[in-house]
């Protein structure tokens, strides 16, 4: 990745204690269980870049997003935004988040004017006419400021969420599945809006998605997550043209195309994601991998550079 990094994520991990209640552990002799939601993830995002994290449900995407914006503390590792921690960046409005469901993320009792202006008001900034200007910026009307969220469609509510995120003049926007709750026709409109705002305002995005067809059109760099581990990282063009990790190849093969066919000859990923509280030995993908060898079962692959692509696979070459 080129450019001075705006965001640096270093050796980020997050564990959750999912043990049975204390009495069950004592009487029933049930062991303590610790779930590794994110394990030793590192990446950087340059100013003005779009970095996408993709993977199946349960891969750790949203957990990383919450740690980047400071809503969840890491168990290990660190996040830096412009050289500061997430909490400091959030306090000064440098980072904002767009959530998956625009219905539940907007206060139904507030008028749109108050929803949008709140991030700026909380930082003591002038909010006179702010909501109206931002509504027009995201393709709505100034008079919509006096309405309530339930009066809008899903796509319009997501535009309101984007306007709210812009109110504090952020450098980084973390978008957690921002189009997954929308109709396909509306998804393209929201993606185009986010791209236009990036160009006009120099925004940087961390884009969380399970939809590779969306990611292909928005991301400069893509990180592929499996069971909380980053298994491949490459430029968007490189990853779609020549994926190196077997899991990435399977994801791409399973991704639907506009014509209804699927790319490549590999089948969709077989089986289920293993229990993150009891991950497999060696490479965590080996139980589902069609090319796994004995080394994969016993040795954890390290992220390394293979012809300009970072990949965690013993057989990447």
């Amino acid at each position: 990745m080129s450019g001075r990094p705006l965001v640096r994520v270093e050796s980020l991990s997050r564990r959750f204690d999912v043990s049975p209640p204390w009495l069950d552990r004592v009487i029933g002799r049930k062991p303590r269980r610790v779930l590794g939601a994110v394990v030793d993830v590192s990446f950087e995002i340059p100013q003005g870049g779009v970095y996408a994290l993709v993977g199946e449900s349960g891969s750790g995407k949203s957990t990383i997003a919450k740690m980047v914006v400071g809503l969840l503390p890491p168990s290990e590792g660190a996040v830096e935004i412009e050289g500061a921690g997430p909490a400091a960046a959030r306090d000064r409005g440098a980072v904002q988040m767009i959530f998956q469901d625009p219905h539940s993320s907007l206060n139904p009792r507030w008028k749109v004017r108050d929803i949008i202006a709140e991030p700026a008001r909380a930082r003591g900034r002038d909010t006179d006419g702010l909501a109206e200007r931002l509504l027009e910026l995201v393709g709505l009307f100034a008079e919509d400021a006096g309405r309530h969220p339930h009066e809008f469609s899903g796509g319009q509510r997501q535009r309101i969420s984007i306007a709210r995120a812009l109110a504090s003049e952020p450098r980084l926007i973390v978008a957690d599945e921002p189009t997954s709750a929308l109709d396909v026709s509306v998804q393209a409109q929201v993606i185009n809006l986010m791209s236009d705002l990036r160009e006009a305002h120099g925004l940087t995005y961390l884009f969380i998605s399970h939809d590779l067809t969306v990611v292909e059109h928005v991301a400069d760099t893509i990180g592929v997550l499996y069971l909380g581990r980053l298994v491949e990282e490459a430029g968007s063009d490189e990853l779609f043209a020549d994926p190196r990790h077997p899991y990435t190849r399977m994801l791409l093969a399973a991704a639907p195309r506009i014509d209804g066919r699927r790319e490549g000859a590999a089948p969709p990923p077989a089986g289920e994601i293993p229990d993150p509280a009891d991950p497999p030995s060696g490479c965590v993908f080996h139980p589902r991998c069609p090319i796994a060898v004995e080394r994969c079962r016993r040795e954890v692959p390290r992220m390394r550079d293979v012809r300009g692509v970072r990949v965690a696979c013993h057989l990447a070459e």
Side-chain angles (χ1 to χ4, degrees), residues 10-301:
E10 186 68 31
S11 304
L12 199 65
S13 295
R14 174 67 199 196
R15 296 184 299 272
F16 295 97
D17 191 334
V18 293
S19 302
W22 176 81
L23 195 58
D24 287 349
R25 296 204 309 271
V26 173
I27 296 177
R29 296 184 180 180
K30 295 181 179 179
R32 181 178 292 276
R33 286 170 55 83
V34 177
L35 186 153
V38 177
V39 182
D40 196 23
V41 169
S42 299
F43 61 86
E44 295 180 349
I45 314 177
Q47 170 63 41
V50 180
Y51 189 100
L53 286 172
V54 301
E56 293 170 282
S57 296
S59 61
K61 305 184 300 294
S62 293
T63 302
I64 292 174
K66 291 174 182 176
M67 287 191 284
V68 169
V69 299
L71 296 178
L72 192 65
S75 300
E76 278 104 24
V79 176
E80 288 187 358
I81 302 170
E82 295 184 307
R90 194 174 72 244
D91 286 346
R92 67 174 186 267
V95 56
Q96 290 290 336
M97 190 166 185
I98 300 171
F99 295 92
Q100 176 177 358
D101 185 358
H103 179 73
S104 61
S105 64
L106 301 177
N107 191 327
R109 295 187 175 89
W110 285 16
K111 290 184 177 181
V112 167
R113 176 181 294 107
D114 300 315
I115 290 172
I116 292 175
E118 177 59 22
R121 185 183 298 115
R123 292 166 180 83
R125 299 177 183 175
D126 179 22
T127 61
D128 187 31
L130 177 64
E132 289 78 4
R133 293 194 300 273
L134 289 175
L135 283 169
E136 291 181 337
L137 182 65
V138 299
L140 297 175
F141 298 101
E143 51 266 33
D144 289 333
R147 300 166 66 187
H148 289 84
H150 73 269
E151 301 178 66
F152 297 88
S153 68
Q156 290 171 327
R157 284 196 293 263
Q158 198 61 294
R159 289 174 184 266
I160 294 168
S161 297
I162 294 170
R164 177 181 60 183
L166 294 172
S168 65
E169 300 179 358
R171 304 289 304 283
L172 169 70
I173 291 182
V174 178
D176 188 5
E177 300 271 12
T179 62
S180 63
L182 307 177
D183 292 338
V184 174
S185 60
V186 181
Q187 288 182 9
Q189 298 173 17
V190 171
I191 291 300
N192 289 337
L193 171 62
M194 294 179 66
S195 297
D196 291 343
L197 292 171
R198 172 198 180 190
E199 295 294 329
H201 299 276
L203 295 172
T204 302
Y205 289 120
L206 173 59
F207 197 95
I208 308 297
S209 182
H210 67 277
D211 191 337
L212 287 165
T213 58
V214 170
V215 166
E216 183 177 10
H217 296 291
V218 302
D220 302 318
T221 305
I222 299 172
V224 181
L225 287 168
Y226 183 77
L227 210 68
R229 284 88 169 157
L230 195 63
V231 297
E232 184 165 2
E233 180 189 80
S236 179
D237 291 342
E238 290 88 350
L239 185 130
F240 280 87
D242 186 20
R244 307 294 168 79
H245 198 281
Y247 178 62
T248 307
R249 292 198 291 270
M250 285 183 167
L251 284 181
L252 291 175
R257 289 175 21 163
I258 293 176
D259 60 11
R261 296 185 293 112
R262 297 180 187 273
E263 292 283 4
E272 300 293 331
I273 295 180
D275 182 358
D278 186 24
S281 61
C283 173
V284 291
F285 185 61
H286 86 256
R288 303 173 70 189
C289 181
I291 62 171
V293 297
E294 181 57 33
R295 182 186 180 190
C296 305
R297 298 176 179 86
R298 55 181 170 78
E299 184 180 333
V300 177

